[in-house]
Amino acid sequence: MAEVPQQIPTIDISAWVNPASSEADKQRVVDEVHHAATTYGFFQCAGHGITPETRDQIFNLSKRFFSLPMEERMEISVKKSLGQSFRGYEPPFLQNHHKHLLPDTKETFVVGAEIPADHPDAGTFLNGPNLWPTSIPEDDFQKPLLSYQSQMVALGNTLLKILGHGLPKSWNCSPDVFDSLAENPAIPMRMLHYAAQPVHDEKQFGVGAHTDFGSVTILLQQLGTKGLEVWYPPTETWIPVPPKENTFVINIGDFVDRYTNGYYRSARHRVITTDKERYSVAFFFNGNMKLKAPVLDGSGGEVNLGDHIRQRAIATYGAAPTLIESKV
Ligand SMILES: O=C(O)CCC(=O)C(=O)O
Ligand SMILES: [Fe+2]
């Protein structure tokens, strides 16, 4: 029987980003990420270059948004976003990952790539203009959020490069193989707020057990809170993933799992409820929604990112028929 891991690994990727690093130091980063992605599907990422001030600023904005009156949040509800663009505010109890559970307690504000309404793709699945709260000045809210978004895109690209370098040599694919996946990517960022749940109900989760749909997720957690757990199949255990100073939690999504035929693992995870409120920000680097490509290990079969994500959204928002019927 495998030993129960107490935590997922922490990996400092700074040697990869620093042009002065030796090849051996860069390779160490590749090896560590490879180990985490094949074993856990999760790791804590340090040395990413994003400042603590940026992190504090993002949480302050999130707190400011979720403190707006409910009517104001509902004015920019996802239901009001253009076509199937899925932008704006999602109230609690909307998404359900399992029929036998209650819907998730989380509430969410979703920001994606800013696609103007007159763009040919606007209104198609995950494409369109963002919805912004009118009572917060643009410079105080949308500018810093979009700046954070571009830092997340850069980090997502870096992570895909590292993952590309870790693929087995026998597959004969270029280490830049994920470049086409990273082109013009869908990048929904979900600012998440979990209200305190003083009464425990075993059917109630912040987010029920699920895997992420896209390529790579970059998660920022509020220090001093808890709730995130990842499933480790060899020991059939949930491993807690506590927030750690100056790190992001990185996890592999379904698409990279399928694309690599399960080599990089998209691990199940969940957020349990606690008696303390919690904020987190999940940046989903979904990737190029138009990508259709053969599975990388040459075993046959094709992956289609857009179809996969659409089907998973339908499955998990199925408990919210009004949203799903009008949106997907
Ligand atoms: O809030 C968290 O820690 C994780 C949220 C999550 O797993 C998700 O939104 O997919
Ligand atoms: Fe998730």
Side-chain angles (χ1 to χ4, degrees):
M1 187 72 179
E3 210 171 299
V4 177
Q6 298 306 307
Q7 56 185 6
I8 58 163
T10 297
I11 305 174
D12 183 331
I13 64 163
S14 53
W16 179 270
V17 192
N18 180 352
S21 304
S22 68
E23 283 309 311
D25 285 345
K26 286 187 177 177
Q27 188 58 41
R28 201 166 304 124
V29 174
V30 171
D31 293 345
E32 287 180 27
V33 170
H34 168 270
H35 172 71
T38 53
T39 310
Y40 302 99
F42 264 73
F43 63 96
Q44 304 259 21
C45 176
H48 41 70
I50 290 146
T51 64
E53 290 75 27
T54 300
R55 186 178 79 178
D56 292 348
Q57 181 185 37
I58 294 304
F59 280 124
N60 288 337
L61 296 180
S62 188
K63 286 175 190 167
R64 189 160 172 191
F65 177 81
F66 289 111
S67 311
L68 292 173
M70 188 50 127
E71 310 82 77
E72 199 175 331
R73 280 177 274 160
M74 290 307 285
E75 267 167 28
I76 51 167
S77 124
V78 167
K79 285 188 189 170
K80 299 197 175 167
S81 63
L82 182 68
Q84 300 182 356
S85 59
F86 274 96
R87 306 304 168 86
Y89 176 65
E90 265 181 37
F93 309 113
L94 210 58
Q95 194 171 26
N96 197 340
H97 296 277
H98 300 281
K99 288 203 167 50
H100 64 281
L101 297 180
L102 296 166
D104 297 345
T105 64
K106 60 155 194 274
E107 57 177 336
T108 310
F109 177 60
V110 191
V111 178
E114 192 64 84
I115 313 273
D118 59 0
H119 187 283
D121 288 342
T124 63
F125 189 52
L126 300 187
N127 286 307
N130 286 311
L131 301 182
W132 300 105
T134 46
S135 69
I136 312 181
E138 200 177 310
D139 283 358
D140 294 355
F141 194 72
Q142 82 188 63
K143 282 220 176 117
L145 277 182
L146 292 176
S147 154
Y148 180 74
Q149 178 189 66
S150 55
Q151 294 181 65
M152 291 293 103
V153 171
L155 181 56
N157 277 307
T158 300
L159 293 165
L160 285 174
K161 279 280 174 213
I162 298 172
L163 288 164
H165 279 76
L167 291 173
K169 297 282 170 283
S170 61
W171 292 5
N172 287 325
C173 43
S174 153
D176 302 325
V177 68
F178 292 127
D179 284 4
S180 49
L181 173 58
E183 241 169 62
N184 206 9
I187 45 170
M189 172 164 87
R190 297 171 76 91
M191 306 186 83
L192 294 155
H193 175 230
Y194 303 86
Q197 302 289 321
V199 180
H200 178 72
D201 178 336
E202 60 183 25
K203 288 196 175 137
Q204 184 74 78
F205 287 85
V207 183
H210 67 284
T211 52
D212 289 348
F213 312 161
S215 296
V216 174
T217 306
I218 307 172
L219 175 80
L220 182 58
Q221 302 194 74
Q222 184 189 13
L223 292 174
T225 62
K226 55 185 180 184
L228 178 62
E229 301 182 333
V230 57
W231 181 247
Y232 184 62
T235 53
E236 302 197 342
T237 320
W238 289 104
I239 311 174
V241 185
K244 223 175 149 174
E245 201 138 2
N246 293 327
T247 67
F248 288 91
V249 176
I250 308 297
N251 63 288
I252 304 296
D254 294 343
F255 189 75
V256 163
D257 183 312
R258 306 285 144 80
Y259 201 11
T260 63
N261 201 15
Y263 190 72
Y264 288 146
R265 290 191 49 224
S266 174
R268 277 167 70 202
H269 53 286
R270 66 184 187 183
V271 178
I272 58 172
T273 60
T274 71
D275 56 5
K276 199 174 165 195
E277 74 170 341
R278 172 174 185 265
Y279 292 87
S280 66
V281 182
F283 180 87
F284 297 99
F285 194 109
N286 282 346
N288 179 350
M289 297 286 281
K290 294 181 179 157
L291 184 79
K292 287 189 193 137
V295 172
L296 292 174
D297 68 351
S299 60
E302 198 179 60
V303 284
N304 180 329
L305 180 60
D307 274 2
H308 174 75
I309 294 190
R310 196 175 290 105
Q311 280 159 18
R312 295 283 277 128
I314 290 171
T316 58
Y317 281 98
T322 48
L323 181 73
I324 207 75
E325 277 160 20
S326 62
K327 289 292 177 190
V328 179

